[in-house]
Amino acid sequence: MRKKSVLALLLAVMMVLSGCALVSKDEEKDNARVIIDVNGETVTKRVISAAVQNQIAQNEYYNQLFSSYYGYGAMYPTDEATVTNQVVEAYTQNLVLKQKAAALGMTELTDEEKAHAEEHAKEYYDSFLQSVISSYMPNSGLEGDELTAAAEKYVSEHSDVKTVDGRATYEDFLNAAMEEVAVEKVREDIVKDVAVTEEEIKADYDAKVEAAKATMESNPDTYGYNLMNGTAVYYAPAGYRMVKHILVGISDEDTKAADDAQTALSEAQDALTNAAADADKDALQAAVDAAQATYDSTKAVGLANAKVKADEVYAKATAEGADFDALITEYSTDHMPEEGYAIREGYAYFVEPFVTGAMALANVGDVSEPVESTYGYHIIKYVSDVQEGPVDLETVRESISNELLTTKKNELTDSTIQQWVSEAKVTTFLDRLK
């Protein structure tokens, strides 16, 4: 867990209501026991336990998200022991940073910094009040300012209604937000003199070029894929060209008709598959055949209509003085990068008719007749050839510099905070969490 996530962790935890009235005195006493002590400033079991459970839930959510969308395995720990150690480390470092901010005089904020703190404090305080309303006043019948005022009154009359770290008033949230601004000032002060040299940029560029070259030799499609997705590229393999296209897609009306026909076909197939033993299978099969014919006909009509429009656009694209980019803006249904697509023979990331049509163009500037694919019709223009070899350093200088700068700042921040933690009087009582 990166150290920059400490604030997010704190803010997430403080939205959890303490519910002191719902626990026994022994449990309340146990929750109040100290888990972290940094130079006499402490964090209780209630806060750490809530933070651990919150972090586990968050990690489980992210693991599920990455698995569903990208097929990744578990990327974030969900076992309690690991997460507990991370949470304790985060809170320890945050206490050290707050104390360092006070020692360096960084708790005195400018008007701009105060305004920033006030903005966030209001946001978090409003979230707290919404938690109160959801938990204790779900059927109040009030709205707007009246509901907010009622929630504030409820909190003032019930001392046990507060966040797990004891916050209940706007002033509590403002003080916390101001502390976090001060902590951020300390972090910025740590790295204020960090810079990247020309030698470091050049060395990193050379290393990236060599790595990219090896990757492209084993999978040359990576170049086109990275370029299309905005990922920095450092080496171009042989055989690539840049193309642009106007995609004349099937109209929304024709697409809906095809979808409806597909649904009808699926229903007819399901009826045949799930038919009872004594059902008229011939009639059901005839219904499937009819639905299939309707679906095929509907798709053909959609493509035919798209072809008529594509022919019109092609005529404009090949007319003398035609502005292909303007025609893309006017007619294409594809959200293509401004520079177009990088294509090579056998490129795997696009449908085969598009790739074949793009590679069939003989000369730079040539425009293809409409090429049919499952997406409609492509009118393709051969824009330029991609020169094999390393990309120009100037095209990637900024991304390399930013990456190196971020790495150096993170390393210096981590090492500096670790040094401060080692110099502080830190005591932890992890056995009390059992």
Side-chain angles (χ1 to χ4, degrees), residues 1-14:
M1 180 171 61
R2 294 298 306 162
K3 309 306 180 292
K4 65 182 179 182
S5 68
V6 173
L7 176 57
L9 181 64
L10 290 169
L11 296 175
V13 170
M14 72 185 186

Side-chain angles (χ1 to χ4, degrees), residues 58 161 242:
Q58 179 176 296
V161 179
M242 297 302 298

Side-chain angles (χ1 to χ4, degrees), residues 118-360:
E118 288 167 357
E119 178 183 351
H120 285 276
K122 185 179 186 311
E123 177 185 346
Y124 303 134
Y125 180 58
D126 288 345
S127 295
F128 166 69
L129 290 180
Q130 285 302 313
S131 298
V132 172
I133 291 168
S134 299
S135 299
Y136 302 106
M137 308 169 57
N139 302 310
S140 67
L142 301 174
E143 296 181 355
D145 292 341
E146 284 188 310
L147 182 57
T148 299
E152 291 178 321
K153 185 173 184 293
Y154 188 93
V155 172
S156 68
E157 293 175 348
H158 297 79
S159 60
D160 59 310
V161 179
K162 53 191 174 184
T163 63
V164 292
D165 51 358
R167 303 173 200 191
T169 67
Y170 171 75
E171 287 69 26
D172 293 336
F173 285 85
L174 180 57
N175 289 335
M178 292 175 68
E179 286 179 349
E180 292 307 326
V181 170
V183 165
E184 188 57 33
K185 288 171 66 177
V186 174
R187 288 180 173 276
E188 292 172 357
D189 187 67
I190 292 172
V191 298
K192 66 180 184 299
D193 296 324
V194 175
V196 175
T197 67
E198 180 62 27
E199 290 74 16
E200 290 171 329
I201 292 174
K202 184 62 168 61
D204 192 65
Y205 166 77
D206 290 340
K208 282 180 165 59
V209 166
E210 287 305 309
K213 183 178 180 181
T215 298
M216 300 309 165
E217 288 174 351
S218 61
N219 183 11
D221 281 358
T222 303
Y223 173 80
Y225 180 81
N226 287 348
L227 200 66
M228 177 175 60
N229 287 281
T231 304
V233 294
Y234 300 94
Y235 189 90
Y240 267 98
R241 62 177 56 177
M242 297 302 298
V243 301
K244 294 183 178 181
H245 78 141
I246 303 166
L247 174 59
V248 179
I250 299 172
S251 71
D252 291 343
E253 182 180 356
D254 287 339
T255 297
K256 183 181 184 307
D259 289 343
D260 291 343
Q262 174 68 70
T263 299
L265 174 59
S266 297
E267 290 173 351
Q269 291 171 332
D270 289 343
L272 177 61
T273 301
N274 301 320
D278 58 349
D280 187 344
K281 301 293 182 64
D282 290 339
L284 291 172
Q285 182 61 58
V288 170
D289 294 342
Q292 181 69 60
T294 299
Y295 174 62
D296 292 341
S297 174
T298 304
K299 282 185 61 180
V301 167
L303 277 171
N305 290 338
K307 180 63 161 60
V308 171
K309 184 176 180 181
D311 287 339
E312 295 174 357
V313 176
Y314 172 70
K316 294 180 179 181
T318 53
E320 185 175 352
D323 186 337
F324 199 83
D325 287 341
L327 293 172
I328 290 173
T329 301
E330 183 175 357
Y331 293 107
S332 185
T333 59
D334 179 37
H335 301 291
M336 180 178 58
E338 185 177 353
E339 67 275 12
Y341 293 124
I343 294 289
R344 60 180 291 274
E345 196 73 48
Y347 186 66
Y349 290 106
F350 289 145
V351 290
E352 186 275 333
F354 176 75
V355 175
T356 300
M359 297 307 297

